[in-house]
Structure formats: structure tokens, C-alpha cells
Amino acid sequence: MEISNMLSNKLIFLNENFDSTSELFDFVGTKTKELDLSYDDYAVNLKKREENFPTALEFNDIGVAIPHADSKSLKKEFISLITLDKPLIFRAMENPDKEVKVKIVFVLGLLKANDQLETLQAIVKLLQKENALEHLNHANNVKEVVNIVNEL
């Protein structure tokens, strides 16, 4: 699963501000619905999934979240990438009691469950590349983000 093939320029949002993860998920739900990629319940299902199965990871002191919801909320596959001007608190994937200040969010809209692991591995591979997170975090435009992702 190539991230670059799934990442739509229309779903890359840079230096966004949200007061909560709920607000972020509502934003993504609205944008994906406008693009006819998801159904009305997508944001609600993202929130439920994140509450039960946290998705935050830390790489070199930069928090990254990779939320996703069941495919029943989706019409088409996508990946959305959002960088945050100010961090949002997510719970850690490996320890739900731990809070992670997240600056980069990859929202996965995958139709097949078996694609999730492969896509997560590809994202983690990208995040482990030296300076990739710093470059994503400081990207000023969509073209920069696409170039970073394409370097995989």
C-alpha cells in the first residue's frame, strides 16, 4: 500500500488549530463527506475507535496520531494528513494511560482491514526516516508534503 497513492491533496491540511480531538474528527468527517469519501457517521466512528483503541505514537519527541474507523463509514479509500499549529492531546497506542502531544495526524480511510497493517507499517517507515517528521511538521504547502511522502 503506497501512501502517496492514497494521500489526496484535497485532504492535506497544514498548521490547523483545533480545541479538541473531537473537533478535529468533525473537521475530517465534514471534509471527507464533501468529497464523497465517507458517510455521515464517519466522525462519530473515528471518535469511538480512538476512545477504545488509541493511536498516538512518539517519534523523536514529535507526537503522531493515526486514527481510523471501520470501513462501514467509508465510500472510498483515502489518507488525510493534518499538521497542527498547537498540539492536541491523544492517548498513546502502546499505553492508553499515557498522553501524547500530537502535532501530525494521519487519518486512514481504508476499506479492507488487511490493508491497515500494511499502511500503518508504511507510515511508521516514513516517520522513522531521519528528518521526515521535522519536514512534515514545518511544511508550508501541500507540494512540500507530497514531495516528502513521495521520497519513501
Side-chain angles (χ1 to χ4, degrees):
M1 180 71 49
E2 289 289 323
I3 298 170
S4 56
N5 294 342
M6 305 265 309
L7 184 63
S8 166
N9 289 6
K10 293 178 181 177
L11 290 173
I12 297 173
F13 306 99
L14 305 177
N15 304 310
E16 294 290 333
N17 282 299
F18 301 100
D19 291 326
S20 66
T21 56
S22 181
E23 188 180 328
L24 166 71
F25 293 151
D26 287 340
F27 173 82
V28 172
T30 299
K31 295 295 182 184
T32 57
K33 176 125 176 47
E34 287 171 359
L35 294 170
D36 202 33
L37 300 172
S38 68
Y39 295 105
D40 291 333
D41 62 349
Y42 185 60
V44 170
N45 287 326
L46 272 176
K47 293 172 195 178
K48 286 180 186 173
R49 180 90 166 77
E50 186 68 27
E51 187 176 315
N52 293 319
F53 303 99
T55 63
L57 299 165
E58 259 183 317
F59 294 89
N60 302 321
D61 296 324
I62 297 177
V64 178
I66 312 172
H68 48 283
D70 292 336
S71 61
K72 66 183 180 189
S73 302
L74 301 173
K75 294 180 180 183
K76 297 177 187 161
E77 293 190 312
F78 64 86
I79 295 176
S80 176
L81 189 146
I82 303 149
T83 64
L84 303 172
D85 189 43
K86 60 179 186 176
L88 279 177
I89 300 296
F90 278 74
R91 290 182 303 132
M93 188 183 291
E94 76 280 358
N95 177 4
D97 294 328
K98 180 182 175 192
E99 292 184 341
V100 177
K101 291 181 180 178
V102 168
K103 292 277 288 175
I104 299 172
V105 182
F106 286 89
V107 181
L108 307 183
L110 303 174
L111 292 172
K112 297 182 214 128
N114 58 338
D115 287 345
Q116 285 184 356
L117 181 58
E118 190 178 332
T119 304
L120 284 170
Q121 289 171 333
I123 290 171
V124 169
K125 181 180 171 188
L126 169 68
L127 301 178
Q128 289 175 329
K129 284 186 91 169
E130 191 172 346
N131 300 323
L133 274 181
E134 278 297 320
H135 292 307
L136 282 175
N137 201 28
H138 293 100
N140 293 312
N141 58 60
V142 170
K143 187 175 181 178
E144 278 184 65
V145 170
V146 171
N147 288 339
I148 294 163
V149 172
N150 283 339
E151 288 177 2
L152 249 181

